[in-house]
């Protein structure tokens, strides 16, 4: 089966979880584009959100996975980019609904907040759940409109 290419990145606080999730995705047959960081040395999370957003914009990946300490800062940074719909996810229901209703293309986790087993389940759901379309198309389109 042909699988998506997923761009992944984290800051230092998300490095361990990012490594775990990248391994899972490779094992599941996804092509993983790992854009760093590559250690627990302190870095700035916006730089890594920007790298994943660029990979999506350039067509190098179809989805993104971002991890920082809370998932919040890196999601804020990613959502500054047109075309990025980044969601902080804490549970399977959120992972499913942000795909079905928001057509989220980037999932963000808090490496200091979420258990790794929960994050692994959430990621699987996020990657396997399609957008529902229908009434949600109009709403998602509004996310791309200038404010
Ligand atoms: C880094 O200490 C931390 O601030 C960062 O990982 C993230 O949680 C920011 O939102």
């Amino acid at each position: 089966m042909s699988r998506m290419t997923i761009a992944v990145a984290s800051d230092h606080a998300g490095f361990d979880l990012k490594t775990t999730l990248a391994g899972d995705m490779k094992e599941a047959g996804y092509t993983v584009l790992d854009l760093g960081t590559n250690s627990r040395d302190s870095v700035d999370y916006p730089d890594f959100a920007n790298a994943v957003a660029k990979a999506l914009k350039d067509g190098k990946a179809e989805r993104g996975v971002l991890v920082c300490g809370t998932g919040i800062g890196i999601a804020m940074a990613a959502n500054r980019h047109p075309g990025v719909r980044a969601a902080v996810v804490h549970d399977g229901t959120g992972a499913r609904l942000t795909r079905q209703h928001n057509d989220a293309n980037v999932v963000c986790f808090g490496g200091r907040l979420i258990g790794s087993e929960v994050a692994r389940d959430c990621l699987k759901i996020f990657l396997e759940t399609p957008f529902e379309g229908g009434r949600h198309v109009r709403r998602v389109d509004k996310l791309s409109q200038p404010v």
Side-chain angles (χ1 to χ4, degrees), residues 65-141:
V65 178
L66 289 168
V67 191
C68 68
T70 60
I72 296 169
I74 210 157
M76 288 178 169
N79 278 320
R80 297 179 65 231
H81 293 265
V84 169
R85 292 177 300 281
V88 186
V89 161
H90 303 281
D91 53 54
T93 305
R96 178 172 54 80
L97 286 172
T98 201
R99 284 292 310 132
Q100 290 177 330
H101 290 195
N102 313 126
D103 197 17
N105 52 7
V106 176
V107 65
C108 304
F109 296 111
R112 291 174 176 161
L113 303 183
I114 194 169
S116 64
E117 292 305 311
V118 176
R120 295 171 79 191
D121 286 346
C122 289
L123 180 56
K124 186 169 191 300
I125 292 165
F126 178 82
L127 293 175
E128 293 178 359
T129 303
F131 178 46
E132 237 174 50
R135 70 188 187 279
H136 302 295
V137 171
R138 182 181 71 250
R139 297 163 184 167
V140 170
D141 283 348

Side-chain angles (χ1 to χ4, degrees), residues 27-94:
E27 200 162 308
Y30 295 99
T31 300
V32 174
L33 188 60
D34 190 337
L35 300 172
T37 190
N38 300 314
S39 77
R40 294 180 189 146
D41 294 344
S42 184
V43 291
D44 297 336
Y45 58 83
D47 298 336
F48 296 89
N50 292 346
V52 164
K54 185 168 183 340
L56 294 181
K57 184 177 169 220
D58 293 347
K60 292 187 175 154
E62 290 142 279
R63 300 265 181 91
V65 178
L66 289 168
V67 191
C68 68
T70 60
I72 296 169
I74 210 157
M76 288 178 169
N79 278 320
R80 297 179 65 231
H81 293 265
V84 169
R85 292 177 300 281
V88 186
V89 161
H90 303 281
D91 53 54
T93 305

